[in-house]
C-alpha cells in the first residue's frame, strides 16, 4: 500500500468534504477527465495516425450495476501506464491535463480543448464512493495496470488481470466507483439508475465534445404471430441499446446559418422550462484576450416567480462546454434579471472546484457586453416592432423601473426604454415621443401617479393640465413615483440636426408630478385672479387652516382647477402617491406623510359659500365645509379619509 504524496489524509479530506458544495458533480469531473484523455489521443494521432482509432470510434461509456452498487466511466483515450497512475492519481493536485497543455503549448490545434486544470476533479469520486478502482492501459503499451484506493489509507497499483485488460482494450481507462450506502445525508441510490445518470450528464456534461454512451433499456412491440386471433392484443418486450446521451455540439457554437429559429426556440423552451417561444434571441461571439460565446433570450412572458424572493437571476456559465454555474448572477445586472441564456468561455479563470471564478474582472467584461447587446436589442424592438415591445414592457417594464430607482446601469439608457400611458393621446408613449408632442414653451414633463388610469383622468390636476394643452403621463405601478423622483429629469436629444424633425434643441426636461403644490400651469389672467382672491380672503384661509389643524400644511387658492371646487397637493419630497404606496406596506405606521396643501378654486360656486359662511361668522358651517372639502379631495386622490363615519355624518348634515 502506497501513501499519497503530500500531507495526504488532511488534504484529501479537504478535497472530498470542503472544495465541492454539490456531490453530484463527481460525474461531471470524471466525464471531463475522460474527454481530456480522448483529446490527448487525438493530438498524438496527428504525428502517429496508425496508433489512434477513427474519430467515430472515440467515445465515453457509462454503466452501472445496481446490485453491486457500482458506476463505471470508461474511455478509449490515451490511457495511463504505471508511472502515470502513480503520478496523476497518487499525487494530489498534480494535473496530467495541465502538464500536457504546458508541454504542448503553441502546438495544439484549435479543435483540441483540454478541460482539466487542477488535478483534483478525480478525487470528487470519493464524495459518493467508499472505494475507487481505475484500470488503464497507455497508448502503445502491452499491459494494463490497476490503481485502487479507499481515499483514506492510501492506494495500490498492481498489474491488471486478463479480464481487466480486455475491459480497457488496446488503450483507455475505466474508473469504477463503489458507492457508499444511502443514508440521511446522501441518497446515493439515485445515481444507480438510467434516469439518474442521464440527468446528470444532461445537466453538467451535455455538451462535452465526445459522445457519452450508455446501454439503455427500451421497449418495442413484438411481431404479430401468424396464428394470432382477431382479438389479439399487441405484446411488448424490453431490449437494450447503446445510446448517446449527450448533445455534444452546443447550439451556441454552431454557425447562425446552420441553425433555424425553431431550433433556438426548442433549446430555450427545454433548457429554461418555458412553454412559449422567446420574444427575441441574441447570439454573439467575442474574441481577444477573453473569448466567449453567448446565446441570450428575452422571454415572451413573465416568469411566475419573477418578483418573489425565491427568484434567482443569472446566465448558465460554461467553460469548454462543461457547466460551471447554472445561474451566474454576476453576468446580469438586476434590471435585466429576466434574461435567460448561456455564456461559454474557455478563458475564464475558475477556482479549484470549478464552481466559481477567481477573477471577477473577467465576468465584469462579459457582463458589460451582455448588457449592451440586450439594451441594443430592446431599442431595436422599440423602434422596429412596437407591438412586440409593448408586450415586453407589460411583462418586464417594472424591472427596468427598479433599475432606475436603484441606480443600476445607465439611467439614460433605461429611461429611453420606458413607456407611459398618454392621457391626451390614449396610447403608450416613450419620453422622446412625449417631448416631440410638447407645445412651444413647455419645459417640463408632467405625470400623475395612482392606482388606475380611469381614476387619474378625473383628478383635477390632470384635467387642468389637459385643459391648458399639456399632456400628462399616467403611471399606475407602485414603483413609478419613486422611479421618476430618482430619475428627476430626462435629456431630450432634440431634432435640430434632423432635416425631417421639428427643430427641437437638446435640453434637459424636469419630471414633475401634477399633484405637486408648486405646479404652474395657469395663464397670466388666472394667476392674477388667484392673487386677488388670496389678498381679499386671507382671514378665510386662516380659518380653514385652523379648522383642519395638522391635516394640512396650508390652505391657498390655486389657479386653473377647472370645475373642481378643491384639490389636494403635496409639498416636499413625499408625494401623495408615495404616501399611499407606503401606507400599504408592512411599516405603514412609521411611513412618512406628505405635507398636504388644500387648494381652493376661487372661480367655483363652493368658494362663494365659504366666503359667505366666514363673513357671517358661522364657524360651525365653515368647519363642516372645510372637513367635507378635505375628505372629498382625499378620495379623489385615492387616499383614505381619516374618519369615514364622520365623513358620512357630515354629508348627512349638509343634506
Amino acid at each position: 500500500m502506497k501513501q499519497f504524496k503530500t500531507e495526504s489524509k488532511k488534504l484529501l479530506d479537504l478535497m472530498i468534504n470542503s472544495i465541492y458544495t454539490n456531490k453530484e458533480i463527481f460525474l461531471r469531473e470524471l466525464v471531463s477527465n475522460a474527454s481530456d484523455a480522448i483529446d490527448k489521443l487525438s493530438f498524438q494521432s496527428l504525428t502517429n495516425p496508425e496508433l489512434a482509432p477513427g474519430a467515430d470510434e472515440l467515445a465515453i461509456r457509462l454503466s452501472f450495476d445496481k446490485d453491486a452498487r457500482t458506476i463505471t466511466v470508461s474511455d478509449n483515450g490515451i490511457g495511463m501506464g504505471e508511472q502515470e497512475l502513480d503520478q496523476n492519481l497518487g499525487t494530489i493536485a498534480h494535473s496530467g491535463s495541465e502538464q500536457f497543455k504546458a508541454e504542448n503549448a503553441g502546438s495544439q490545434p484549435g479543435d483540441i480543448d483540454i478541460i482539466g486544470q487542477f488535478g483534483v476533479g478525480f478525487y470528487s469520486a470519493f464524495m459518493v464512493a467508499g472505494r475507487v478502482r481505475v484500470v488503464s492501459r497507455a497508448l502503445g503499451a502491452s499491459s494494463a495496470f490497476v490503481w485502487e484506493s479507499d481515499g483514506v489509507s492510501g492506494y495500490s497499483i498492481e498489474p491488471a488481470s486478463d479480464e481487466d485488460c480486455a475491459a480497457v482494450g488496446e488503450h483507455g481507462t475505466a474508473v469504477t466507483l463503489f458507492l457508499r450506502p444511502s443514508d440521511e445525508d446522501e441518497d446515493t441510490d439515485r445515481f444507480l439508475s438510467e434516469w439518474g445518470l442521464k440527468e446528470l450528464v444532461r445537466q453538467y456534461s451535455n455538451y462535452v465534445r465526445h459522445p457519452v454512451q450508455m446501454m439503455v433499456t427500451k421497449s418495442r412491440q413484438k411481431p404479430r404471430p401468424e396464428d394470432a386471433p382477431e382479438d389479439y392484443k399487441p405484446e411488448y418486450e424490453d431490449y437494450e441499446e447503446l445510446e448517446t446521451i449527450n448533445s455534444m455540439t452546443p447550439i451556441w457554437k454552431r454557425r447562425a446559418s446552420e441553425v433555424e429559429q425553431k431550433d433556438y426556440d426548442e433549446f430555450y423552451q427545454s433548457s429554461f422550462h418555458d412553454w412559449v417561444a422567446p420574444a427575441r434571441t441574441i447570439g454573439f461571439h467575442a474574441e481577444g484576450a477573453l473569448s466567449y460565446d453567448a446565446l441570450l433570450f428575452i422571454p415572451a412572458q413573465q416568469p411566475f416567480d419573477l418578483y418573489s424572493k425565491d427568484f434567482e437571476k443569472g446566465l448558465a456559465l460554461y467553460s469548454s462546454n462543461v457547466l460551471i454555474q447554472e445561474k451566474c448572477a454576476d453576468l446580469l445586472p438586476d434590471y435585466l434579471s429576466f434574461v435567460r441564456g448561456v455564456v461559454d468561455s474557455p478563458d475564464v479563470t475558475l477556482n479549484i472546484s470549478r464552481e466559481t471564478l477567481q477573477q471577477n474582472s473577467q465576468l465584469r467584461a462579459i457582463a458589460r457586453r451582455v448588457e449592451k447587446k440586450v439594451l441594443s436589442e430592446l431599442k431595436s424592438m422599440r423602434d422596429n416592432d412596437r407591438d412586440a415591445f409593448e408586450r415586453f414592457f407589460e411583462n418586464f417594464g417594472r424591472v427596468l423601473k427598479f433599475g432606475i430607482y436603484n441606480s443600476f446601469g445607465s439611467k439614460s439608457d433605461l429611461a429611453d426604454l420606458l413607456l407611459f400611458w398618454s392621457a391626451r393621446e390614449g396610447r403608450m408613449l416613450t419620453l422622446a415621443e412625449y417631448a416631440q408632442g410638447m407645445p412651444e414653451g413647455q419645459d417640463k414633463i408632467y405625470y400623475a401617479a395612482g392606482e388606475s388610469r380611469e381614476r387619474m383622468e378625473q383628478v383635477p390636476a390632470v384635467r387642468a393640465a389637459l385643459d391648458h394643452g399639456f399632456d400628462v403621463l399616467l403611471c399606475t405601478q407602485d414603483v413609478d413615483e419613486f422611479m421618476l423622483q430618482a430619475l428627476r429629469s430626462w435629456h431630450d436629444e432634440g431634432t435640430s440636426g434632423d432635416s425631417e424633425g421639428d427643430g427641437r434643441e437638446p435640453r434637459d426636461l424636469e419630471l414633475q408630478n401634477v399633484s405637486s403644490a408648486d405646479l404652474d400651469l395657469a395663464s397670466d389672467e388666472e394667476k392674477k385672479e388667484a392673487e386677488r382672491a388670496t389678498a381679499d380672503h386671507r382671514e378665510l384661509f386662516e380659518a380653514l387652516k385652523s379648522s383642519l389643524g395638522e391635516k394640512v400644511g396650508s390652505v391657498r387658492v390655486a389657479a386653473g382647477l377647472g370645475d373642481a371646487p378643491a384639490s389636494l397637493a403635496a409639498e416636499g419630497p413625499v408625494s401623495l402617491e408615495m404616501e399611499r404606496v407606503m401606507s400599504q406596506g408592512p411599516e405603514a405606521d412609521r411611513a412618512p406623510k406628505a405635507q398636504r396643501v388644500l387648494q381652493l378654486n376661487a372661480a367655483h360656486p363652493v368658494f362663494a359659500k365659504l366666503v359667505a359662511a366666514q363673513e357671517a361668522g358661522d364657524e360651525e358651517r365653515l368647519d363642516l365645509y372645510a372637513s367635507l372639502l378635505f375628505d372629498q379631495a382625499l378620495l379623489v386622490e385615492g387616499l383614505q379619509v381619516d374618519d369615514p363615519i364622520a365623513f358620512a355624518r357630515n354629508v348627512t348634515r349638509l343634506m
Side-chain angles (χ1 to χ4, degrees), residues 18-30:
S18 301
I19 288 180
Y20 297 101
T21 59
N22 186 359
K23 292 184 178 182
E24 66 186 19
I25 57 85
F26 76 91
L27 191 62
R28 177 193 75 181
E29 298 298 320
L30 296 181

Side-chain angles (χ1 to χ4, degrees), residues 633-655:
L634 282 175
L635 292 174
V636 169
E637 293 294 337
L639 299 171
Q640 291 185 343
V641 297
D642 296 334
D643 190 344
I645 295 176
F647 174 67
R649 186 184 301 118
N650 288 338
V651 172
T652 303
R653 286 176 58 195
L654 186 64
M655 295 173 63

Side-chain angles (χ1 to χ4, degrees), residues 373-389:
K373 281 288 186 179
V374 174
L375 291 178
S376 176
E377 184 66 28
L378 291 177
K379 290 177 181 178
S380 175
M381 191 192 307
R382 176 199 64 194
D383 297 337
N384 303 309
D385 192 349
R386 185 56 174 262
D387 290 341
F389 184 74

Side-chain angles (χ1 to χ4, degrees), residues 4 7-20 92 123 126-127 151-152:
F4 291 105
E7 292 290 337
S8 299
K9 292 184 179 180
K10 291 182 180 179
L11 184 55
L12 189 55
D13 181 69
L14 180 67
M15 296 288 174
I16 297 170
N17 299 305
S18 301
I19 288 180
Y20 297 101
I92 299 172
Y123 304 102
F126 289 106
M127 293 192 296
V152 178

Side-chain angles (χ1 to χ4, degrees), residues 364-594:
R364 286 194 294 270
I366 298 175
R368 285 193 296 269
R369 181 76 182 279
V370 167
E371 179 183 15
K372 289 180 180 179
K373 281 288 186 179
V374 174
L375 291 178
S376 176
E377 184 66 28
L378 291 177
K379 290 177 181 178
S380 175
M381 191 192 307
R382 176 199 64 194
D383 297 337
N384 303 309
D385 192 349
R386 185 56 174 262
D387 290 341
F389 184 74
E390 290 192 10
R391 289 193 297 271
F392 157 79
F393 195 80
E394 183 178 356
N395 284 310
F396 304 110
R398 182 190 294 265
V399 184
L400 301 182
K401 293 173 183 178
F402 272 114
I404 292 177
Y405 175 66
N406 291 323
S407 298
F408 291 128
S410 172
K411 286 185 179 181
S412 61
D413 284 338
L414 294 184
D416 289 340
L417 294 171
L418 298 179
L419 291 178
F420 303 92
W421 184 263
S422 165
R424 182 174 63 192
E425 300 193 25
R427 64 186 181 94
M428 300 295 282
L429 299 179
T430 64
L431 292 175
E433 291 165 343
Y434 177 94
Q436 189 174 5
M438 288 168 51
E440 187 176 352
Q442 182 180 351
D443 59 356
K444 295 180 181 179
I445 296 175
Y446 297 115
Y447 70 90
E451 293 182 277
S452 70
R453 295 201 302 258
E454 293 76 12
R455 186 190 64 77
M456 282 188 288
E457 287 172 348
Q458 302 304 316
V459 170
V462 173
R463 293 167 59 188
L466 294 173
D467 290 343
H468 286 81
F470 303 120
D471 195 4
V472 181
L473 301 176
L474 305 182
C475 308
T476 57
Q477 292 185 329
D478 51 10
V479 69
D480 285 336
E481 176 76 2
F482 299 89
M483 178 270 297
L484 290 169
Q485 288 207 18
L487 188 59
R488 300 183 64 181
S489 65
W490 175 77
H491 182 70
D492 179 15
E493 296 289 348
T495 58
S496 57
D498 186 353
S499 60
E500 299 180 0
D502 55 11
R504 301 195 323 273
E505 294 292 333
R507 54 183 173 164
D508 289 324
L509 298 175
E510 181 185 346
L511 297 158
Q512 184 167 30
N513 193 325
V514 292
S515 294
S516 174
D518 60 354
L519 185 68
D520 184 11
L521 300 178
S523 64
D524 292 341
E525 183 60 33
E526 288 172 329
K527 292 177 182 178
K528 289 179 181 179
E529 292 179 1
E531 290 172 0
R532 283 196 296 267
T534 300
D536 294 343
H537 303 290
R538 293 189 185 279
E539 293 182 359
L540 171 63
F541 303 136
E542 292 174 0
L544 292 173
K545 171 64 178 78
S546 177
S547 176
L548 293 173
E550 297 297 325
K551 294 180 180 179
V552 297
S554 63
V555 179
R556 67 181 68 159
V557 170
L561 290 184
D563 60 357
S567 71
L568 269 186
E571 290 181 319
V574 181
S575 68
L576 297 174
E577 174 63 9
M578 293 174 71
E579 177 185 324
R580 185 189 68 79
V581 172
M582 290 187 288
S583 68
Q584 298 173 349
E587 298 184 355
D589 294 341
R590 292 187 289 175
K593 301 292 184 182

